[in-house]
Amino acid sequence: MESPATYLHWGFILISWPNLLVILGMLVVFAIALVAPFPNHGEADDVSAK
Amino acid sequence: MSARNSDSWTLRVRQAMDRHLPMDHLLPDRQPYYVGSWVYVFGVITIAALAWVIVSGVVLSFFGPQWWHDSSVGRFFNSLHFWSVQLFFIFMVLHLWGQYFMAGWRNGRAATWMIGVVIFGISILTAFTGYLSQQNFDAQFIALNAKDAMNGAGIGAFFNVLNFGQMYGLHVMLLPIGVTFLVVAHIVMVRARGVVKPIDPEGARP
């Protein structure tokens, strides 16, 4: 915690590994949310929005 | 409605609420079939994180910097506040991605989208003033580096990042009130119009 973060330097891209891992984790969570089955989805009501 | 009663502003407000935000929209027990996706949960998690941010922030403001630095319970609430903010931003951005790809601003929902954009901006300012209010070397480092950017932008005279009282006051009072008020407006607007329909609900393109 006391030492500075290590950085990924690839061409013009410069980002700390902690920040990169958070962004990659968010992408993984987003992808899972798109494909993971939602509980009781089959029983959802057919209520139309405006 | 009688002519006499139409002069009553309370009646007019109530009737407008009945028209635009009936109780079955405000507290629905049924949702459209397309809401059955985890993507719609991101906004709710963001609200839950905001609730934790507010609760832990109120506790921190009661006891002050000495407590949140020196006592184990204070450090726990300090960490609770910090990590709730991390979750708030992470799930706010995931909510943003979801709404962007489903074009959540369609069918009269542009104001809802724009209020979300403003919430995002004010939240960044709130987090920034929070980092400046930590009362540690990290806060001093951020303030000393940020002052040049603020002066370069021409706002340093009335937004002085070296002024702890100003930053702390903004962080615990004005900015949280702004975020909370706009989040409530955002939710009410979502409930008034319902969740946006998918772009291609039947999945059948010609």
Side-chain angles (χ1 to χ4, degrees):
Chain A
M1 290 291 286
E2 299 299 325
S3 58
T6 54
Y7 277 71
L8 171 71
H9 196 174
W10 185 43
F12 64 92
I13 297 172
L14 181 64
I15 186 170
S16 72
W17 277 103
N19 279 344
L20 181 62
L21 290 175
V22 167
I23 293 169
L24 292 176
M26 288 168 66
L27 289 169
V28 169
V29 170
F30 192 76
I32 290 172
L34 291 179
V35 298
F38 195 75
N40 302 320
H41 189 196
E43 301 167 15
D45 295 307
D46 189 14
V47 179
S48 60
K50 282 180 184 175
Chain B
M1 182 180 69
S2 69
R4 180 176 60 82
N5 284 340
S6 66
D7 294 332
S8 163
W9 71 267
T10 53
L11 177 64
R12 290 200 302 275
V13 169
R14 194 175 73 231
Q15 288 172 335
M17 286 176 67
D18 285 343
R19 276 196 308 277
H20 298 293
L21 191 64
M23 283 307 288
D24 62 331
H25 281 211
L26 187 62
L27 295 170
D29 60 326
R30 303 167 73 202
Q31 288 289 341
Y33 70 94
Y34 46 80
V35 179
S37 166
W38 287 105
V39 173
Y40 291 95
V41 179
F42 291 145
V44 178
I45 299 177
T46 308
I47 295 168
L50 178 62
W52 278 108
V53 170
I54 293 171
V55 168
S56 57
V58 167
V59 174
L60 291 176
S61 68
F62 261 114
F63 294 98
Q66 181 98 37
W67 178 75
W68 77 57
H69 282 308
D70 289 346
S71 77
S72 57
V73 179
R75 283 198 294 271
F76 171 77
F77 273 93
N78 197 3
S79 299
L80 195 63
H81 195 61
F82 176 81
W83 288 109
S84 304
V85 171
Q86 307 305 306
L87 287 177
F88 175 71
F89 272 93
I90 285 171
F91 282 99
M92 183 161 50
V93 171
L94 288 170
H95 175 66
L96 165 66
W97 290 352
Q99 296 308 310
Y100 176 78
F101 285 116
M102 69 175 74
W105 53 81
R106 287 173 293 134
N107 304 329
R109 294 172 176 84
T112 314
W113 171 269
M114 288 310 300
I115 285 181
V117 172
V118 174
I119 292 170
F120 192 32
I122 297 180
S123 297
I124 291 171
L125 198 56
T126 313
F128 178 55
T129 53
Y131 277 112
L132 294 171
S133 301
Q134 296 175 95
Q135 288 275 280
N136 58 12
F137 288 128
D138 191 28
Q140 290 182 22
F141 178 85
I142 295 168
L144 285 170
N145 283 279
K147 73 182 190 324
D148 297 328
M150 298 303 153
N151 291 334
I155 61 173
F158 52 89
F159 185 76
N160 183 4
V161 292
L162 297 173
N163 184 343
F164 169 75
Q166 185 188 20
M167 295 303 111
Y168 189 69
L170 287 171
H171 181 72
V172 303
M173 193 64 178
L174 283 182
L175 295 173
I177 288 174
V179 170
T180 305
F181 175 78
L182 290 174
V183 165
V184 170
H186 191 72
I187 295 167
V188 167
M189 291 172 83
V190 170
R191 292 281 23 105
R193 289 197 174 273
V195 176
V196 72
K197 277 185 176 178
I199 294 172
D200 187 13
E202 302 302 324
R205 290 184 182 278

